[in-house]
Amino acid sequence: MGNDGGSIPRRNEMVREKKQDEKTDRKTQLIAMNYFCALSKQPLREPVVGDMLGRLYNRESILEYLLNPTVFGDGAKICNIKSLKDVKTLNLKANPAYTTGQPGKRSVLTFDDQPTAPFVCPITRKEMNGNLGFEFVWTCGCVVSTQARKEMADSDQCLVCSGPVDSKDVVPINSQNSEVLDSLRKRAEERALETKKKGKKVKSKRKHVDEPDVSDTRSSVSVLDKNTKAQKTVA
């Protein structure tokens, strides 16, 4: 052992290399999630939509998927989108620096350096490249960095459009935290139930408006019968 001119790697060196590989894989994954549509794997371009778990898609890809669920192969495994009600069109701030060095036609696997992100936070101007947390508001679709919202933690208004914001409607973008994802799934279920209840109420109101008032109808018939009898008596 060792007489062949080679060297035996130490355990700490192997552990260091493994951690470096994991870091590289995570960086590649974050680039893929923040630069490319989760369905089509094409570069994100407006209009961009987000689902209830914070994943990003090109809107045109969602439309293609809804028309043909097999168009992207494993689409059903990637998302659980049944209609456009399951996604929100995002209000994104374009990055002025995104003119050269875009992902373009290159595969995310070929990236050696961090590419220029297509979008930035409208408040801090930080790039949405996976290095910092970003989130959007489900009610209005505005996208900001988590840092910007924390700096304005006392505000109950959207930092972009000034609309009302409920903390339950804030969706972290591409979160890898299992607890956060479980919370988002629970909120998605609650939102689906709320939408279903609202639909039933609207349907009930429409039915009530369309149905004739039976008591008024009977009263009108009674008056008509009396007038008819009176006319016969006079005749």
Side-chain angles (χ1 to χ4, degrees), residues 104-165:
K105 296 181 180 180
R106 291 183 297 169
S107 167
V108 292
L109 299 177
T110 64
F111 286 134
D112 295 322
D113 300 317
Q114 186 80 45
T116 303
F119 308 108
V120 297
C121 171
I123 309 300
T124 65
R125 302 295 175 175
K126 297 292 185 180
E127 291 190 2
M128 193 173 79
N129 55 19
N131 291 332
L132 298 174
F134 273 72
E135 54 197 31
F136 69 88
V137 182
W138 185 262
T139 49
C140 62
C142 294
V143 178
V144 297
S145 64
T146 303
Q147 176 189 351
R149 184 179 63 83
K150 287 183 176 179
E151 290 177 355
M152 302 289 288
D154 296 333
S155 176
D156 58 355
Q157 293 182 327
C158 174
L159 301 180
V160 180
C161 70
S162 300
V165 174

Side-chain angles (χ1 to χ4, degrees), residues 24-204:
T24 301
D25 290 342
R26 184 173 181 276
K27 180 180 178 180
T28 300
Q29 183 180 23
L30 286 173
I31 290 175
M33 298 175 74
N34 285 275
Y35 289 70
F36 293 82
C37 170
L39 267 179
S40 66
K41 308 301 187 292
Q42 294 298 311
L44 287 171
R45 54 182 178 274
E46 295 188 275
V48 174
V49 299
D51 67 9
M52 296 180 185
L53 296 182
R55 288 172 294 212
L56 306 179
Y57 311 86
N58 288 326
R59 191 174 187 274
E60 63 180 359
S61 298
I62 292 296
L63 293 174
E64 288 181 47
Y65 172 72
L66 292 176
L67 291 172
N68 180 10
T70 64
V71 67
F72 298 116
D74 58 351
K77 294 181 180 179
I78 296 173
C79 65
N80 188 32
I81 297 171
K82 306 299 182 184
S83 72
L84 288 177
K85 292 182 180 180
D86 296 329
V87 295
K88 186 69 180 182
T89 300
L90 303 183
N91 178 18
L92 290 155
K93 175 67 176 178
N95 184 2
Y98 188 69
T99 54
T100 59
Q102 300 111 312
K105 296 181 180 180
R106 291 183 297 169
S107 167
V108 292
L109 299 177
T110 64
F111 286 134
D112 295 322
D113 300 317
Q114 186 80 45
T116 303
F119 308 108
V120 297
C121 171
I123 309 300
T124 65
R125 302 295 175 175
K126 297 292 185 180
E127 291 190 2
M128 193 173 79
N129 55 19
N131 291 332
L132 298 174
F134 273 72
E135 54 197 31
F136 69 88
V137 182
W138 185 262
T139 49
C140 62
C142 294
V143 178
V144 297
S145 64
T146 303
Q147 176 189 351
R149 184 179 63 83
K150 287 183 176 179
E151 290 177 355
M152 302 289 288
D154 296 333
S155 176
D156 58 355
Q157 293 182 327
C158 174
L159 301 180
V160 180
C161 70
S162 300
V165 174
D166 189 322
S167 59
K168 295 187 298 183
D169 291 327
V170 175
V171 182
I173 292 177
N174 291 323
S175 174
Q176 299 297 292
N177 187 307
S178 58
E179 292 183 1
V180 171
L181 291 174
D182 287 341
S183 177
L184 290 174
R185 289 188 183 95
K186 183 178 179 180
R187 179 54 184 148
E189 292 174 359
E190 292 174 351
R191 191 178 288 113
L193 288 175
E194 291 171 1
T195 302
K196 190 174 182 181
K197 288 180 180 179
K198 288 180 181 179
K200 286 184 177 180
K201 286 183 180 180
V202 171
K203 188 175 181 180
S204 177

